[in-house]
Amino acid sequence: MPHNNYKSTARASLFMQSLPDKHVEPLLSHALFRQYTCGETLFIQDEEASGIHLVLEGWAKLYRIAPNGSEVVVSLFTRGESFGEAIALRGGHYPVSAEAATDCTLLILPASVLVRMIHDDPNVAVSLLASTFGHLHSLVVELEHLKAQTGTQRVAEFLLGLRQCDDDGCRIVLPYNKVLIAGRLGMKPESLSRAFSRLKPYGVRIEHNCAFIADVARLQEYAKIDPAQAWSNSG
Amino acid sequence: MPHNNYKSTARASLFMQSLPDKHVEPLLSHALFRQYTCGETLFIQDEEASGIHLVLEGWAKLYRIAPNGSEVVVSLFTRGESFGEAIALRGGHYPVSAEAATDCTLLILPASVLVRMIHDDPNVAVSLLASTFGHLHSLVVELEHLKAQTGTQRVAEFLLGLRQCDDDGCRIVLPYNKVLIAGRLGMKPESLSRAFSRLKPYGVRIEHNCAFIADVARLQEYAKIDPAQAWSNSG
DNA sequence: CTGCTGTATTGATTCAAATCATGGCCCGGG
DNA sequence: CCCGGGCCATGATTTGAATCAATACAGCAG
């Protein structure tokens, strides 16, 4: 991501797509362009919220440290996605910490400009609401997966969600390392490894950081069945 | 909840507290007052969103039916709490279903009035964002509990969250039946039963629909420890 | 090349929770 | 009164995933 053409990427992001043209330029001219190396901290929990974070390239991880010390991955965002809309606008402290899951590039849009824009055009507020609602919805889906699926089924769902093509079979580049994938899916790396093996009979092959799905429909079927049957059905 | 004085309850709700007085009256005059009996459906997933739901009395349950048929409880709301802000304003379809978890009374605020109010006073948008952010935050906390705690620890957390008084020991009325508590906590009723027994050594006593906590601090401590130790430490 | 560190798999074992099954208790209807 | 159904607790058993432990392997510094 060269510094001089990031604006087109920002314009194409989910968040800015819904904004009228006249708002985008002032927003971008006040935005901070930032590059992070893998593992670097973007902000920490309880810090004062500074602005909306828009990912231009790479992956950012939102996480919390539970009272018992374990790290809980809340979400992962990539190119074109944004987070922190609601808290930036409302003001207050981040409820989560964030770090770079890979080397990444972000744009930070200061809340003050957004507030001015809302007064100028209330439809901007609806854009912000829509973004926030998207996050709400994805957490609901995540909760559903955690409560209603086995780990192996969540892995299947994860692979299916990453797939770009709509082909019957396809190749998926795993976006970050397996420790992080495991965390994202609420399991330990060892369990992820075993889950991958269990998906082999369903036409999933893992090689280094690539996954190959032989039969998408079959895998989708597997992700949907009753957890109690998810194991007996191996073959 | 008598029909003739519900307005003061509504005014005191989390959502309306943050609205300036001048907006509350028009909102209430357009609101629908509704009473439901336990188990009745408020709306179903994929239905067109009609308005913000504000609970005046009782409990409302938001849930999803997973592809494998099992019901996943997403949230439960009671007196003074509201849900559906973002989707009502943005327009679109409910991502969850809702039903009355107990007999309950709701106020439904039509989105159209809200939209008008936002144009009149953009600060209303910030109120809405704040409500939505609250939901986002509670889902994050829920996710953390699911990923980082054992079932028994989640039960402890649940009891602690219900406690009204700040006394060292206290009595808690369980707000709905145990099947629903189990669902809310992502476990089966049998497991909830066993979890209650396991909390006995930590000074928790269950009688019918009441829980008694002998030593709040001790239970808080238990909810925070490492899951691996959560079992060995029984004494 | 050697040794090192971080990442990944694989095996043996333990353990939390689901599942399957039973029995108690309360409540309302015939 | 007894009967049946909903709700809850308890026991026996199975199972999904964590844990503990060993090993493999790629990338890199010296």
Side-chain angles (χ1 to χ4, degrees):
Chain A
M1 167 72 33
H3 187 208
N4 52 6
N5 84 344
Y6 67 85
K7 292 191 178 183
S8 62
T9 307
R11 186 66 184 97
S13 70
L14 288 173
F15 173 57
M16 294 209 179
Q17 266 173 32
S18 53
L19 291 179
D21 269 326
K22 61 171 174 177
H23 294 312
V24 173
E25 192 44 48
L27 203 49
L28 286 180
S29 64
H30 289 88
L32 299 170
F33 179 89
R34 282 283 165 80
Q35 309 207 52
Y36 300 90
T37 61
C38 179
E40 224 179 316
T41 294
L42 312 193
F43 54 76
I44 61 165
Q45 199 171 326
D46 299 325
E47 196 176 306
E48 182 80 23
S50 61
I52 295 176
H53 288 68
L54 174 59
V55 182
L56 295 177
E57 203 57 60
W59 288 83
K61 173 179 82 178
L62 300 195
Y63 65 99
R64 284 168 61 98
I65 303 298
N68 62 39
S70 63
E71 177 188 292
V72 175
V73 178
V74 174
S75 329
L76 283 152
F77 295 97
T78 189
R79 185 175 196 171
E81 298 172 340
S82 57
F83 53 92
E85 294 87 357
I87 189 63
L89 210 75
R90 192 196 71 155
H93 303 267
Y94 290 116
V96 296
S97 303
E99 69 173 46
T102 65
D103 289 357
C104 63
T105 312
L106 304 212
L107 216 52
I108 299 163
L109 317 171
S112 54
V113 184
L114 258 306
V115 171
R116 235 183 298 138
M117 278 166 47
I118 288 181
H119 284 81
D120 180 39
D121 176 0
N123 292 315
V124 173
V126 176
S127 281
L128 284 162
L129 242 332
S131 273
T132 305
F133 176 73
H135 299 161
L136 199 61
H137 187 32
S138 55
L139 286 186
V140 166
V141 169
E142 173 118 10
L143 214 64
E144 174 178 315
H145 290 167
L146 267 177
K147 284 186 175 177
Q149 291 181 315
T150 67
T152 308
Q153 287 179 306
R154 290 200 300 277
V155 173
E157 200 84 59
F158 174 75
L159 291 177
L160 290 165
L162 281 175
R163 150 186 70 110
Q164 305 284 330
C165 57
D166 273 340
D167 301 351
D168 210 37
C170 63
R171 173 173 172 279
I172 294 159
V173 179
L174 301 178
Y176 30 77
N177 77 34
K178 303 194 183 177
V179 176
L180 186 51
I181 297 177
R184 156 74 236 278
L185 297 172
M187 54 173 72
K188 299 289 156 186
E190 296 95 314
S191 297
L192 177 67
S193 221
R194 291 180 226 275
F196 279 143
S197 331
R198 265 185 234 109
L199 288 177
K200 236 174 247 167
Y202 291 87
V204 175
R205 204 173 80 254
I206 306 291
E207 270 172 30
H208 307 283
N209 68 336
C210 279
F212 300 85
I213 304 180
D215 184 346
V216 166
R218 199 151 114 79
L219 197 60
Q220 284 173 327
E221 201 47 49
Y222 171 79
K224 288 191 173 108
I225 64 179
D226 189 290
Q229 299 163 31
W231 292 80
S232 44
N233 280 16
S234 58
Chain B
M1 164 72 35
H3 187 208
N4 52 7
N5 83 344
Y6 67 87
K7 293 192 177 183
S8 61
T9 308
R11 186 67 184 97
S13 69
L14 290 173
F15 173 56
M16 294 210 179
Q17 267 173 31
S18 53
L19 290 179
D21 269 326
K22 60 171 174 176
H23 294 312
V24 173
E25 193 44 49
L27 203 48
L28 287 180
S29 63
H30 290 88
L32 298 170
F33 179 87
R34 283 283 166 80
Q35 307 206 53
Y36 299 89
T37 61
C38 179
E40 224 178 317
T41 295
L42 312 193
F43 53 77
I44 61 165
Q45 199 171 327
D46 299 325
E47 197 176 304
E48 182 79 25
S50 61
I52 294 176
H53 288 68
L54 175 58
V55 182
L56 295 177
E57 202 58 59
W59 288 83
K61 173 178 81 176
L62 300 196
Y63 66 99
R64 282 167 64 97
I65 302 298
N68 62 40
S70 63
E71 177 188 292
V72 175
V73 177
V74 174
S75 327
L76 283 153
F77 294 99
T78 189
R79 183 175 199 172
E81 298 171 339
S82 56
F83 53 93
E85 294 88 356
I87 189 63
L89 210 74
R90 193 196 69 154
H93 304 267
Y94 291 116
V96 297
S97 303
E99 69 173 46
T102 64
D103 288 357
C104 63
T105 312
L106 304 211
L107 215 52
I108 298 164
L109 317 172
S112 54
V113 183
L114 257 305
V115 171
R116 233 183 301 139
M117 278 166 48
I118 287 181
H119 283 81
D120 180 39
D121 176 1
N123 292 315
V124 173
V126 177
S127 281
L128 284 161
L129 241 334
S131 273
T132 304
F133 176 74
H135 299 160
L136 199 60
H137 188 33
S138 55
L139 285 187
V140 166
V141 169
E142 174 117 11
L143 214 63
E144 173 178 315
H145 290 167
L146 267 176
K147 284 186 174 178
Q149 292 182 314
T150 67
T152 307
Q153 287 179 306
R154 289 199 301 275
V155 173
E157 200 84 60
F158 174 75
L159 292 176
L160 290 165
L162 282 174
R163 151 186 68 109
Q164 305 284 331
C165 58
D166 271 341
D167 301 352
D168 210 37
C170 63
R171 173 173 172 280
I172 295 159
V173 179
L174 301 179
Y176 30 78
N177 76 35
K178 303 194 183 179
V179 176
L180 186 50
I181 296 177
R184 156 73 235 279
L185 297 172
M187 54 173 74
K188 300 287 156 187
E190 298 97 314
S191 298
L192 177 66
S193 221
R194 291 180 226 275
F196 279 143
S197 330
R198 267 187 233 108
L199 287 177
K200 234 174 247 166
Y202 291 89
V204 174
R205 204 172 80 252
I206 307 291
E207 271 173 29
H208 306 284
N209 67 336
C210 279
F212 300 86
I213 303 179
D215 183 346
V216 166
R218 199 151 115 79
L219 197 60
Q220 284 174 327
E221 200 48 49
Y222 172 78
K224 288 192 174 104
I225 63 179
D226 190 291
Q229 299 163 32
W231 292 80
S232 44
N233 281 16
S234 59

